[in-house]
């Protein structure tokens, strides 16, 4: 595949003069720019015409696919391949960080903390369930000769990487058609934390694969906690340091605002490289850096710097995610995939559907045990959550890395299957999301109001409950098992954290009095294809 081979323009065409090499580079880069421009223009037209059958992500993917097919039937395949040849290091260092940082940076705290218990349950416990179920089913499928057989640890690695969801298309249509605020917050919040969980699980399984001797279940759990908690701590620490710097450095004066913006842009990459240098996960670290910097550091900036950094991160994340979908389409047409293992792809799609159901419905049951009747997740929202499990950039990136982490043939099979799953979920599920919402009767939910119309009501609830929609537990306190009470205590902890944040953390790390987020947008979207978010200012 293109990521593995160090093909340079000179190598692919024999000896070339510098002028010819420069010309070939210009043509290759021009082609990439033209596809990006076409993707943005076509996406705008689709949104303007309210055409939901072909979402913007699908359109970008199809553009890459068409260009790749044309390149394959022309005489310019090698030269184009040479300039689309970048390693997974480019992917992880330059494309994924802005996408993941923007996910955390655009996460509005109000709906996140109002559904904190549910989001954590779906993203952490649910992703673990989906990963294990997928891995076990793929392994059993290999044992009974339904599909290509992989070792058990490699099946768990595949389960971890394919459990990373990226519902950009679903979220975009959610906001276009209008749906329940809490459903939107659950889907978005899960997708943000789910990436961190999936990559931590993948790293853990990769370590087990590399060092199989002396590994027991306890050591695996310790490795996972070391990766996840260590990366999260690094990201949060960098975020807090940046908040104190911008609070006390006095950079918000006119002649230092360029310096202020430059420093703010550098901190996310500092967090990413710090975690990678410590042997942790830079993706997990930069995600939590984004959450902390938006909540604390951002309010310490001058207004002009706030406008600049918001636009900057949205811009580069949009470009990066659009290019990811273009590249996936181009890659399908240009590269040699293991299409001989069609059974692996077919049964993997079935198994991830089963695993997603085990994730959503079991976690929803646990969440509903801890919630009063008026805040339970209804069945139609659970079905919408199950349907929202599209795969995207993170699954593709981890599959790309698996080609190098696993033996020849195994990694290629996983990469081919993951690429096919991403394409099918984006095209089929993304294109049918509007129909799904109408059939489940969740369009314009919240008693006929759109999510935007509920902002005033929800804001009042936040103000009355110190920033948290605190459930009333009295009505169910007598029912009670000890298990339910534990779940309820965990659910209440979000409210306690919000109170601590408002009374202690926010005054210490910012120049605000703890109420600076009262007018924050209710929800925010995944970067890339959701630029016109009705919840954002």
């Amino acid at each position: 595949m293109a990521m593995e081979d160090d093909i340079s323009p000179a190598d692919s065409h024999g000896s070339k003069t510098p002028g010819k090499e420069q010309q070939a580079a210009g043509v290759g880069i021009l082609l990439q720019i033209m596809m990006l421009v076409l993707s943005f223009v076509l996406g705008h037209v689709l949104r303007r015409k309210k055409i939901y059958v072909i979402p913007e992500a699908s359109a970008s993917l199809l553009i890459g696919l068409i260009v790749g097919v044309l390149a394959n039937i022309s005489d310019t395949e090698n030269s184009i391949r040479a300039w689309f040849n970048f390693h997974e290091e480019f992917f992880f260092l330059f494309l994924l960080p802005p996408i993941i940082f923007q996910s955390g940076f655009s996460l509005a705290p109000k709906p996140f903390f109002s559904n904190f218990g549910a989001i954590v349950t779906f993203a952490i416990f649910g992703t673990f369930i989906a990963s294990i179920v997928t891995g076990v089913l793929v392994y059993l499928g290999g044992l009974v000769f339904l599909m290509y057989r992989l070792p058990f640890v490699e099946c768990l690695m595949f389960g971890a990487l394919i459990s990373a969801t990226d519902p950009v298309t679903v979220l975009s249509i959610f906001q276009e058609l209008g749906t329940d605020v809490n459903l939107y917050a659950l889907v978005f919040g899960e997708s943000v934390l789910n990436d961190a969980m999936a990559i931590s699980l993948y790293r853990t399984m990769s370590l087990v694969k590399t060092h199989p001797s002396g590994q027991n279940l306890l050591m695996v759990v310790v490795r996972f906690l070391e990766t996840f908690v260590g990366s999260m701590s690094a990201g949060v620490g960098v975020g807090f340091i940046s908040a104190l710097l911008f609070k006390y450095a006095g950079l918000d004066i006119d002649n230092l605002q360029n310096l202020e913006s430059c420093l703010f842009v550098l901190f996310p990459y500092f967090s990413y490289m710090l975690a990678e240098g410590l042997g942790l996960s830079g993706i997990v670290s930069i995600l939590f850096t984004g959450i902390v910097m938006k909540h604390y550091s951002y309010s310490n900036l001058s207004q002009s710097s706030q406008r600049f950094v918001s636009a900057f991160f949205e811009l580069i994340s949009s470009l990066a995610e659009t290019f990811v979908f273009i590249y996936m389409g181009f890659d399908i047409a240009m590269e040699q995939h293991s299409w001989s293992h069609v059974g692996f792809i077919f049964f993997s799609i079935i198994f991830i559907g089963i695993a997603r159901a085990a994730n959503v419905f079991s976690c929803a049951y646990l969440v509903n045990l801890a919630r009063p009747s008026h805040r339970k997740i209804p069945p139609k929202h659970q079905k919408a959550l199950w349907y929202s499990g599209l795969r995207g950039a993170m699954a593709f990136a981890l599959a790309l890395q698996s080609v190098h982490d696993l033996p020849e043939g195994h990694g290629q099979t996983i990469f081919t299957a993951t690429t096919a799953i991403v394409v099918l979920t984006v095209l089929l599920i993304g294109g049918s999301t509007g129909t799904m919402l109408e059939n489940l009767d969740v369009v314009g939910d919240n008693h006929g109001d759109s999510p935007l119309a509920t902002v005033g009501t929800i804001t009042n609830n936040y103000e009355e409950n110190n920033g948290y929609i605190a459930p009333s537990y009295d009505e169910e306190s007598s029912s009670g098992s000890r298990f339910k009470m534990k779940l309820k205590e965990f659910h209440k902890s979000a409210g306690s954290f919000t109170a601590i944040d408002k009374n202690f953390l926010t005054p210490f790390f910012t120049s605000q009095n703890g109420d600076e987020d009262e007018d924050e947008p209710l929800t925010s979207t995944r970067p890339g294809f959701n630029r016109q978010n009705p919840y954002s200012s």
Side-chain angles (χ1 to χ4, degrees):
M1 57 178 291
M3 309 320 173
E4 296 179 300
D5 303 322
D6 287 323
I7 302 175
S8 67
D11 294 335
S12 60
H13 298 287
S15 58
K16 274 190 172 184
T17 62
K20 288 291 184 180
E21 291 183 11
Q22 186 175 359
Q23 182 181 12
V27 172
I29 295 172
L30 176 63
L31 178 61
Q32 297 175 31
I33 293 174
M34 289 174 63
M35 287 193 290
L36 283 170
V37 171
L38 182 59
S39 295
F40 283 117
V41 172
L42 182 58
H44 172 72
V45 172
L46 291 172
R47 292 176 68 90
R48 191 87 177 263
K49 301 295 183 181
K50 299 186 183 298
I51 300 174
Y52 303 124
V53 178
I54 306 177
E56 294 170 83
S58 302
S60 298
L61 192 147
L62 288 173
I63 288 172
L65 182 63
I66 292 171
V67 173
V69 170
L70 293 176
N72 257 336
I73 62 177
S74 69
D75 296 330
T76 59
E77 176 186 349
N78 288 336
S79 63
I80 293 180
R81 185 191 301 272
W83 291 103
F84 269 84
N85 173 48
F86 54 86
H87 297 276
E88 76 279 357
E89 286 84 0
F90 176 82
F91 201 89
F92 278 99
L93 292 178
F94 296 102
L95 293 181
L96 272 184
I99 296 173
I100 302 301
F101 177 80
Q102 178 67 8
S103 296
F105 192 72
S106 63
L107 184 66
K110 290 180 180 178
F112 179 78
F113 285 114
S114 73
N115 293 280
F116 180 76
I119 289 173
V120 169
T121 303
F122 282 111
I124 306 299
F125 182 63
T127 303
F128 178 79
I129 291 176
S131 174
I132 298 300
V133 170
T134 302
V136 170
L137 289 177
V138 169
Y139 181 71
L140 294 176
L143 287 181
V144 298
F145 304 105
L146 286 177
M147 56 200 302
Y148 184 70
R149 184 174 177 178
L150 295 174
F152 184 62
V153 175
E154 294 181 12
C155 291
L156 292 178
M157 292 175 67
F158 175 66
L161 70 88
I162 205 64
S163 297
T165 61
D166 189 13
V168 291
T169 300
V170 174
L171 290 173
S172 179
I173 297 176
F174 272 13
Q175 67 187 31
E176 290 283 345
L177 299 180
T179 188
D180 182 76
V181 172
N182 291 314
L183 173 60
Y184 189 98
L186 283 176
V187 173
F188 178 64
E190 182 210 1
S191 70
V192 170
L193 295 183
N194 163 276
D195 285 344
M197 181 68 179
I199 195 170
S200 297
L201 283 173
Y202 179 85
R203 290 281 184 93
T204 303
M205 292 299 106
S206 180
L207 286 174
V208 173
K209 172 70 177 177
T210 307
H211 305 92
S213 60
Q215 298 284 352
N216 53 39
L217 181 60
L218 178 61
M219 288 302 297
V220 171
V221 173
V222 170
R223 289 283 189 181
F224 167 75
L225 292 177
E226 181 183 89
T227 300
F228 186 83
V229 178
S231 303
M232 180 180 69
S233 301
V236 171
V238 171
F240 281 147
I241 291 172
S242 71
L244 293 175
L245 173 67
F246 291 113
K247 179 179 180 180
Y248 293 110
L251 300 175
D252 56 345
I253 58 179
D254 290 340
N255 60 340
L256 291 179
Q257 287 176 0
N258 286 340
L259 174 61
E260 183 183 44
S261 300
C262 290
L263 288 174
F264 195 93
V265 169
L266 290 175
F267 266 104
Y269 265 104
F270 175 79
S271 169
Y272 184 92
M273 295 305 173
L274 174 65
E276 290 292 330
L278 294 174
L280 302 171
S281 169
I283 295 298
V284 177
S285 179
I286 200 172
L287 168 65
F288 285 96
T289 298
I291 295 174
V292 173
M293 290 186 71
K294 177 59 181 288
H295 194 48
Y296 300 107
S297 307
Y298 183 77
S299 60
N300 293 330
L301 301 178
S302 62
Q303 290 187 357
S304 61
S305 295
Q306 287 181 353
R307 288 192 296 268
F308 171 79
V309 297
S310 296
F312 177 79
F313 286 121
E314 186 175 357
L315 168 66
I316 61 173
S317 65
S318 298
L319 288 171
E321 191 152 353
T322 303
F323 186 79
V324 167
F325 279 95
I326 290 174
Y327 175 74
M328 283 191 287
F330 192 89
D331 179 82
I332 293 170
M334 294 290 292
E335 304 304 330
Q336 297 298 320
H337 289 277
S338 300
W339 298 115
S340 58
H341 303 299
V342 177
F344 188 91
I345 299 173
F346 176 76
F347 285 105
S348 293
I349 294 173
I350 296 176
F351 292 158
I352 65 172
I354 296 172
R356 178 69 180 170
N359 170 355
V360 170
F361 298 117
S362 63
C363 290
Y365 175 77
L366 293 176
V367 170
N368 285 341
L369 285 178
R371 286 188 169 188
S373 56
H374 67 279
R375 294 204 69 224
K376 292 185 183 297
I377 303 174
K380 61 182 181 180
H381 286 188
Q382 296 178 33
K383 294 175 184 177
L385 273 168
W386 175 78
Y387 202 84
S388 302
L390 283 74
R391 272 57 179 180
M394 180 56 72
F396 180 77
L398 292 176
L400 193 62
Q401 185 171 325
S402 72
V403 174
H404 299 279
D405 294 340
L406 300 179
E408 185 176 357
H410 294 188
Q412 190 66 43
T413 299
I414 288 177
F415 179 71
T416 300
T418 303
T419 304
I421 290 168
V422 169
V423 171
L424 289 175
T425 55
V426 170
L427 292 180
L428 299 182
I429 296 180
S432 59
T433 298
T435 303
M436 177 271 294
L437 291 175
E438 293 173 354
N439 290 338
L440 292 178
D441 195 27
V442 294
V443 176
D445 219 351
N446 262 346
H447 308 291
D449 293 330
S450 69
L452 191 59
T454 65
V455 171
T457 303
I458 298 295
T459 302
N460 291 336
N461 289 338
Y462 277 107
E463 292 171 350
E464 293 169 5
N465 294 282
N466 292 327
Y468 176 66
I469 304 178
S472 171
Y473 292 101
D474 295 337
E475 61 186 63
E476 291 187 359
S477 60
S478 62
S479 63
S481 73
R482 182 175 300 177
F483 180 63
K484 284 187 177 182
M485 293 304 296
K486 291 290 184 184
L487 287 173
K488 290 175 181 178
E489 289 300 321
F490 174 74
H491 199 62
K492 286 181 178 179
S493 66
S496 301
F497 172 78
T498 305
I500 294 173
D501 171 55
K502 182 175 181 179
N503 296 326
F504 299 101
L505 296 179
T506 297
F508 181 76
F509 286 105
T510 73
S511 304
Q512 309 295 327
N513 59 8
D515 298 323
E516 77 280 357
D517 287 329
E518 292 300 322
D519 298 322
E520 279 289 309
L522 187 62
T523 44
S524 188
T525 68
R526 189 83 171 188
F529 298 100
N530 305 313
R531 291 175 289 279
Q532 302 299 323
N533 176 17
Y535 308 132
S536 63
S537 56

